[in-house]
Amino acid sequence: MKYTQLGRTGLKVGRLVLGTMNFGPQTDEPESHTIMDAALDAGINLFDTANVYGWGENKGRTETIIGKWFAKGGERRDKVVLATKVYANMGAEGAPWPNHDKLSALNIRRAVEASLTRLQTDYIDLFQFHHVDRDTPVEEIWQAVDVLIQQGKIIYAGSSNFPGWKIAQTNETARRLGSYGLVSEQCLYNLAERRAEMEVIPAAREYGLGVIPWSPLHGGLLGGVIKKQSEGGRRTSGRSADALADSSVRKKLQAYEDLLDKHGLAPGEVALAWLLTRPGVTGPIVGPRTTDQLASALRAVELDLSDELLTELDGIFPGPGPSPEAFAW
């Protein structure tokens, strides 16, 4: 496994990030533990979760599964760079309660304590703001974070789903207050969705943030979905089905799969490998439901994409171009 720096921190992390969203809802606890063991053995050491994962009545379930894995010992916790998130309402389902969500100082403090308990650890390496909070002053957020850092309960803070201007505002406020600021941004970014290249990634690079793309396969659409449909009768649903119903989207995906079939490459592995070539990217999040899916993702790290292939991929999924030129009429 190749390693890199997590933004402007001293942390060394693998070029892939283990996403745990499926642990609980789709992958049971024993299999989740097997996947985490396999990921760590392969050199993946940044594990990403969120307090809300588990969803519905099971909010917090994913953190609990990870905590039980840490409790097995074997230096598991010491070897992992642990990242979790705060924002979603953690009150009982159907009964949202004020101050149980978003980024108020009270909820940040409450969320950290609850996550530490579920995760069976005494510190979180990377505590991430899951979404922008339009109601809470940035000064209040940093006040809460600084106290938690002083207490040793978190080490770094990061953002998720922040636009470029919010990254700038948040870090400029941190600078004014003497706080360390954000060290990472977790954003939607993949071959088929490249708008992050306009503002988010330039802002992250300017402020020294590591970029951690989520949905690297664009909800499975970049994983060879058309071929899987035709060969295995696999049906799609939800957003994927809606996207495939769009003729222009389907045309691009067909061209993508045809291109990689010509080169003898697996679409999902190429989508991950492409992200690893992008400036500013620390590592994409992979969310395997099985060990076989993890093995496929690991092959992407060793995949060397030629300049010719990168150019052909740009032809199918062109980016917006460099900023600020991308904003020109």
Side-chain angles (χ1 to χ4, degrees):
M1 173 63 66
K2 301 173 182 177
Y3 290 87
T4 186
Q5 297 281 125
L6 176 60
R8 53 190 172 85
T9 75
L11 293 173
K12 303 293 193 301
V13 295
R15 295 308 313 276
L16 294 179
V17 178
L18 181 67
T20 62
M21 184 183 293
N22 291 317
F23 295 175
Q26 298 192 49
T27 306
D28 64 20
E29 185 173 307
E31 181 69 6
S32 298
H33 287 192
T34 298
I35 291 171
M36 286 187 279
D37 280 332
L40 199 58
D41 288 344
I44 297 177
N45 64 335
L46 176 52
F47 287 15
D48 177 75
T49 190
N51 60 353
V52 75
Y53 289 172
W55 311 107
E57 296 179 354
N58 294 309
K59 287 182 285 192
R61 172 64 176 152
T62 303
E63 286 189 333
T64 299
I65 289 173
I66 296 170
K68 290 182 178 180
W69 180 74
F70 285 146
K72 290 183 175 182
E75 298 184 323
R76 284 175 170 82
R77 177 65 189 95
D78 292 337
K79 294 176 180 178
V80 167
V81 176
L82 177 62
T84 192
K85 309 183 194 74
V86 58
Y87 183 89
N89 194 297
M90 294 297 287
E93 193 69 11
W97 194 250
N99 303 316
H100 279 68
D101 65 354
K102 299 188 179 178
L103 303 180
S104 69
L106 175 60
N107 191 55
I108 286 175
R109 176 179 176 179
R110 176 185 287 123
V112 166
E113 296 294 347
S115 286
L116 290 174
T117 298
R118 287 189 292 265
L119 290 162
Q120 299 194 44
T121 186
D122 56 3
Y123 73 100
I124 294 163
D125 297 281
L126 179 60
F127 190 62
Q128 302 163 107
F129 313 133
H130 212 155
H131 296 284
V132 170
D133 182 354
R134 295 178 174 85
D135 299 323
T136 303
V138 179
E139 291 83 355
E140 178 178 341
I141 295 171
W142 282 124
Q143 180 269 337
V145 167
D146 287 345
V147 169
L148 290 166
I149 290 174
Q150 291 163 9
Q151 293 174 339
K153 294 178 179 178
I154 68 174
I155 299 179
Y156 299 105
S159 58
S160 179
N161 303 307
F162 273 31
W165 69 267
K166 192 65 177 180
I167 291 173
Q169 180 200 45
T170 304
N171 265 22
E172 288 300 327
T173 302
R175 180 180 296 174
R176 175 165 54 82
L177 297 174
S179 301
Y180 194 66
L182 301 170
V183 303
S184 63
E185 160 60 18
Q186 191 175 133
C187 60
L188 174 61
Y189 184 37
N190 55 58
L191 256 173
E193 176 48 81
R194 297 179 60 172
R195 285 176 293 180
E197 294 175 4
M198 296 181 72
E199 288 193 8
V200 175
I201 293 175
R205 297 185 71 193
E206 181 70 22
Y207 285 98
L209 277 63
V211 174
I212 305 172
W214 60 268
S215 194
L217 302 188
H218 205 47
L221 291 175
L222 295 172
V225 64
I226 296 177
K227 186 175 183 179
K228 290 176 182 177
Q229 278 186 333
S230 62
E231 292 184 352
R234 180 174 174 177
R235 298 181 63 183
T236 57
S237 59
R239 294 180 181 177
S240 295
D242 292 342
L244 285 175
D246 184 324
S247 60
S248 63
V249 172
R250 192 177 187 91
K251 183 178 179 180
K252 287 185 176 182
L253 291 175
Q254 187 66 67
Y256 172 67
E257 293 186 22
D258 290 345
L259 171 65
L260 299 185
D261 188 56
K262 182 180 71 174
H263 287 275
L265 297 170
E269 294 170 19
V270 169
L272 289 172
W274 177 84
L275 279 169
L276 293 174
T277 71
R278 305 308 298 164
V281 169
T282 295
I285 297 175
V286 296
R289 295 188 300 274
T290 66
T291 52
D292 286 343
Q293 289 181 351
L294 175 64
S296 175
L298 288 168
R299 290 193 290 271
V301 179
E302 306 304 325
L303 200 57
D304 187 18
L305 305 183
S306 67
D307 291 341
E308 177 188 359
L309 180 57
L310 290 172
T311 299
E312 290 178 298
L313 291 172
D314 273 338
I316 298 171
F317 299 110
S323 295
E325 291 81 1
F327 294 91
W329 287 88

